[in-house]
Amino acid sequence: WSVRTRPAGELPGGERLAMIAMRDETELHAADRTRADFLANASHELRTPLASLSGFIETLRGHARDDAGAREKFLGIMQAQAERMARLIDDLLSLSRIELNEHIAPAGRVDLALAATDVVDALVPLVREKTVTLSPSLPPRGQAVVEGDRDQIVQVAQNLVENAVKYAPIGGTVRIEVSIAESIESALKPRDPKAVRFVLVEPARGDVVRYAALRIADDGPGIPRDRLPRLTERFYRVEGQKSGERSGTGLGLAIVKHIVNRHRGALMVESREGHGTAFTACFRLTSKP
Ligand code: ADP
């Protein structure tokens, strides 16, 4: 609370009046704190690979100077750390760009099936490296045309498919499905009765629109029930998961959430520990032919 007082005139009898204004600033401070936490986290995340780089530079200048084997190994690690920093900076910039125009509704039309195909094609090398199979099931061209920003919808598909590939076991399968839903309730209906479901971005209620749903399902480790609500927090990662060499930034799902919000869509996760995870992102079908 902030409290301010000031004189407020005099009564005819000579008594002086004062005014007290009290303002509840909880929300104001909460926003400040969120911003400060975000900056602290971002700095920490950038400092970690930087500290590792400095350490290796020192080692290379010192006792590893004449050891060709060690030099090669350290340079490899340094390159991975530099790439990690670049990924972090890209994701931070994406997030801030999306936040800037989150209140402006996207004006374009995007064929969700074509966007998904582009993402699948672009990920062929990553998939081959990990021997994961991508299994797309898409409607014919022109059926799932949604209101949206093409680059942003591609980014949603890419982040979700990349995560699925990352957490899928070697030799696993990632299913990529686009379907049309008559209502948002049917789009968000749980598929696996044994999975736990959590809606990460709630749809606008009362709108009479049809949606197209993009569902990405993997057969990875799944996510514990109590972690599901936190997935879209910035820098949040579920501890104790093996994600291979390319460790994530923890920003991917935060970016997905902001994009889905901007599109007035919906986002759901279903997960069953030991069996896999599925994310469903819903976008509004265009009403115009
Ligand atoms: P990251 O860059 O770490 O993947 P994200 O924001 O995309 O960040 O995801 C946040 C966390 O959610 C991940 O670190 C991981 O713990 C968990 N996660 C996301 N997708 C999956 C998935 N398909 N299977 C299991 N865990 C997942």
Side-chain angles (χ1 to χ4, degrees):
W1 290 88
S2 73
V3 180
R4 257 184 266 164
T5 53
R6 67 179 155 100
E10 245 174 58
L11 285 176
E15 289 138 304
R16 291 198 296 155
L17 292 175
M19 198 166 78
I20 301 182
M22 298 206 298
R23 194 154 78 125
D24 181 353
E25 295 187 338
T26 317
E27 256 178 53
L28 208 73
H29 288 302
D32 278 349
R33 202 164 29 227
T34 309
R35 203 167 303 130
D37 282 352
F38 173 63
L39 273 177
N41 280 333
S43 314
H44 172 77
E45 295 284 336
L46 286 167
R47 267 188 177 286
T48 309
L50 206 54
S52 153
L53 281 173
S54 299
F56 280 114
I57 290 170
E58 212 166 284
T59 314
L60 284 174
R61 285 201 149 140
H63 67 264
R65 187 195 288 256
D66 302 316
D67 180 344
R71 210 165 49 219
E72 210 37 51
K73 183 172 152 212
F74 293 159
L75 285 172
I77 301 174
M78 289 169 77
Q79 186 169 2
Q81 294 295 340
E83 284 167 5
R84 175 169 176 74
M85 280 190 83
R87 276 205 302 281
L88 263 165
I89 290 168
D90 284 349
D91 279 356
L92 283 168
L93 284 175
S94 274
L95 201 55
S96 98
R97 232 179 279 129
I98 294 159
E99 270 191 318
L100 263 184
N101 71 3
E102 199 167 332
H103 59 286
I104 305 167
R109 292 156 55 95
V110 185
D111 189 323
L112 203 53
L114 287 185
T117 309
D118 285 355
V119 169
V120 169
D121 291 346
L123 290 179
V124 165
L126 174 68
V127 168
R128 216 173 268 153
E129 197 181 303
K130 214 183 145 178
T131 58
V132 164
T133 307
L134 293 186
S135 158
S137 159
L138 308 171
R141 174 192 285 251
Q143 265 190 21
V145 181
V146 298
E147 297 171 2
D149 175 307
R150 198 190 136 74
D151 289 347
Q152 291 192 343
I153 287 186
V154 164
Q155 200 170 4
V156 166
Q158 188 172 334
N159 284 355
L160 295 179
V161 179
E162 266 180 9
N163 275 350
V165 171
K166 196 156 63 179
Y167 296 103
I170 290 175
T173 305
V174 171
R175 289 179 206 289
I176 299 150
E177 218 180 274
V178 172
S179 59
I180 310 289
E182 286 308 318
S183 68
I184 191 65
E185 288 75 22
S186 66
L188 296 180
K189 215 158 63 201
R191 196 76 72 80
D192 174 358
K194 293 204 180 117
V196 185
R197 163 182 173 273
F198 189 84
V199 177
L200 292 160
V201 176
E202 288 282 351
R205 293 285 165 197
D207 278 3
V208 191
V209 271
R210 292 163 71 221
Y211 288 82
L214 169 72
R215 186 174 195 270
I216 314 289
D218 65 59
D219 48 2
I223 302 168
R225 172 195 290 265
D226 59 329
R227 300 291 187 264
L228 297 178
R230 300 197 57 190
L231 292 178
T232 52
E233 283 175 24
R234 292 158 183 208
F235 299 116
Y236 184 75
R237 297 182 195 102
V238 180
E239 62 280 358
Q241 279 179 336
K242 285 203 191 85
S243 62
E245 293 278 293
R246 257 175 78 96
S247 64
T249 60
L251 291 172
L253 290 174
I255 291 173
V256 168
K257 176 182 108 174
H258 281 284
I259 294 177
V260 171
N261 261 336
R262 179 179 180 222
H263 285 72
R264 292 183 300 147
L267 180 68
M268 165 179 84
V269 57
E270 290 165 274
S271 195
R272 198 172 147 199
E273 275 190 86
H275 287 81
T277 305
F279 284 89
T280 305
C282 303
F283 297 98
R284 295 160 167 254
L285 282 174
T286 48
S287 43
K288 286 159 261 149

